[in-house]
Amino acid sequence: MSAVFNPDEAVSGIAAKSCAIEIREGDWQAYAQSVARGQNEKGLAERYGSIMAYKRACALAYLGKRAQLHGGVCSTRHPHIMTPQFIADLEVSNRAIRYARYPWLKLLMNLLGEIEQIQDQISSTNVITLVPAPK
């Protein structure tokens, strides 16, 4: 690195050669701030080519940290076979977590189910067909 300031090397105080975006795993606020910073600082978008390329780099940094810490999403050495039982267990587990996070969601889903059931009952008795019956 030279001691002479090169405006092509620095964009918004960040070296142009280093394209790394630092986002901790699971830090959604840092990801959102990085994306918002890209909207405000035009130099970042220029450095990455476009604002979409910068947003993609932020997303990959957010996901990449997760992959670095946990070994990625899919392991090629230890493949997971998704049997119907595994998927059913996963559905039950995800539903329990979702309802624990959002207690009102279970009530809403039950209410929507009742509404659909009532609509099915009403629509089957009050339907007038406009198509002649087949002969």
Side-chain angles (χ1 to χ4, degrees):
M1 180 163 202
S2 66
V4 178
F5 177 75
N6 185 351
D8 294 332
E9 284 185 355
V11 177
S12 301
I14 301 170
K17 303 256 183 196
S18 68
C19 291
I21 298 172
E22 292 296 323
I23 299 174
R24 287 190 319 265
E25 177 209 4
D27 192 354
W28 183 257
Q29 289 180 344
Y31 168 75
Q33 289 171 353
S34 295
V35 170
R37 195 175 104 199
Q39 300 282 349
N40 298 334
E41 297 180 24
K42 299 302 177 198
L44 289 173
E46 291 171 6
R47 187 173 81 191
Y48 285 88
S50 70
I51 191 67
M52 289 306 295
Y54 175 73
K55 287 181 180 181
R56 187 175 298 113
C58 289
L60 289 175
Y62 176 77
L63 295 173
K65 294 293 181 191
R66 179 172 178 76
Q68 288 172 3
L69 293 173
H70 297 290
V73 176
C74 180
S75 172
T76 56
R77 293 185 181 159
H78 304 287
H80 298 281
I81 299 172
M82 294 196 181
T83 62
Q85 182 60 43
F86 175 79
I87 293 172
D89 293 344
L90 187 62
E91 178 186 5
V92 169
S93 168
N94 287 346
R95 185 180 299 124
I97 292 169
R98 189 179 312 116
Y99 290 158
R101 254 186 220 157
Y102 310 107
W104 51 268
L105 187 60
K106 185 174 185 177
L107 182 63
L108 177 66
M109 296 305 290
N110 290 337
L111 184 60
L112 289 174
E114 289 178 23
I115 290 171
E116 285 182 16
Q117 191 177 39
I118 291 169
Q119 286 177 339
D120 288 343
Q121 290 172 354
I122 292 172
S123 66
S124 65
T125 57
N126 293 336
V127 174
I128 300 172
T129 180
L130 299 175
V131 179
K135 294 181 183 180

